Amino acid sequence: MTSPSPVKAESDYTALPPDIYKLHKHVELCIDIGYLNRLPFLITISKKINFITVRLLKNRKKENIIDELMRVRKIYTNRGFKVIRYHGDNEFDIEALKTKVCEQALEICSREEHVHKIERNIRTIKERCRSIYHSVPYRYYTKLMTSSLMEVAVQWLNAFPSDQGVSRTLSPANIVAGKASPDLGIKRIHFGG
């Protein structure tokens, strides 16, 4: 009698191919603050890899923004990448940010201009959130539900290879976080279920 095959856990680690690391070890991040239900979220996306991060901000004070950008940078450095440049609008034109986080380079847009890559990405995340929002039976969302909704939308955007990314077979989550691809054979409870 044969034993059943083991179920692949999502916590399995994906090794980073050397050619991707060699060609894309320097990362440029686009950063912005997006809102969902009037809650501020720090959203980042890497220029070539297209890995997205989202984090609820307690407030828009510079200390919180700096702490969250340090956390994002740590995600990349834990995998061996180096963030060499940040792109943001004039909301990020903070002297403390330039000295503590962005020693390398911080490129700020002109007044009334935006970083197009992150702006398009925020619209995509909001569209995904709206789709999920209309598929669940709730009329009101708490702060925790809103934060979780953003995280779920970003998790699934990162879970599959990006059309404009560096790999046709590896997702941004495979490349940056080392997460295994989702096993679609496993039944999941959807958000709000």
Side-chain angles (χ1 to χ4, degrees), residues 14-192:
T14 301
L16 182 63
D19 57 333
I20 288 181
Y21 176 72
K22 182 180 176 184
L23 295 172
H24 303 287
K25 67 182 173 185
H26 294 123
V27 175
E28 293 186 33
L29 285 181
C30 298
I31 57 177
D32 202 359
I33 295 177
Y35 292 87
L36 188 65
N37 291 347
R38 292 189 220 113
L39 295 175
F41 291 87
L42 178 69
I43 302 171
T44 70
I45 185 169
S46 53
K47 269 200 165 183
K48 293 182 181 175
I49 300 171
N50 292 333
F51 182 73
I52 307 165
T53 64
V54 63
R55 185 71 173 198
L56 177 64
L57 292 171
K58 297 174 196 167
N59 53 47
R60 290 174 49 194
K61 291 184 180 177
K62 64 182 176 184
E63 295 84 17
N64 290 328
I65 293 171
I66 290 169
D67 289 344
E68 292 305 324
L69 281 174
M70 296 284 275
R71 183 188 66 81
V72 170
R73 186 171 70 179
K74 189 173 182 179
I75 292 170
Y76 286 94
T77 56
N78 285 345
R79 192 70 163 160
F81 293 101
K82 182 177 181 183
V83 180
I84 60 165
R85 190 167 290 117
Y86 295 84
H87 302 272
D89 54 23
N90 59 358
E91 185 171 15
F92 296 96
D93 195 9
I94 305 168
E95 194 59 41
L97 182 66
K98 292 176 185 175
T99 58
K100 289 186 179 177
V101 180
C102 310
E103 311 89 28
Q104 299 82 3
L106 175 63
E107 293 185 9
I108 302 295
C109 291
S110 304
R111 187 180 180 112
E112 302 298 323
E113 288 190 16
H114 301 283
V115 179
H116 297 292
K117 185 170 183 73
I118 191 71
E119 294 295 330
R120 283 191 304 271
N121 191 266
I122 290 171
R123 284 197 303 267
T124 301
I125 293 169
K126 285 183 176 183
E127 287 171 6
R128 298 291 171 99
C129 289
R130 282 187 200 101
S131 297
I132 296 169
Y133 175 85
H134 290 293
S135 69
V136 295
Y138 306 113
R139 294 188 70 193
Y140 301 102
Y141 275 65
T142 64
K143 190 174 182 179
L144 178 63
M145 290 172 74
T146 303
S147 176
S148 298
L149 177 62
M150 287 284 274
E151 289 171 8
V152 165
V154 167
Q155 173 190 349
W156 285 108
L157 285 169
N158 283 333
F160 298 98
S162 173
D163 289 340
Q164 293 83 29
V166 297
S167 174
R168 296 270 183 229
T169 58
L170 293 174
S171 70
N174 296 141
I175 295 168
V176 176
K179 291 183 179 179
S181 296
D183 184 353
L184 299 177
I186 297 175
K187 299 218 183 258
R188 291 177 169 69
I189 297 174
H190 63 83
F191 177 83

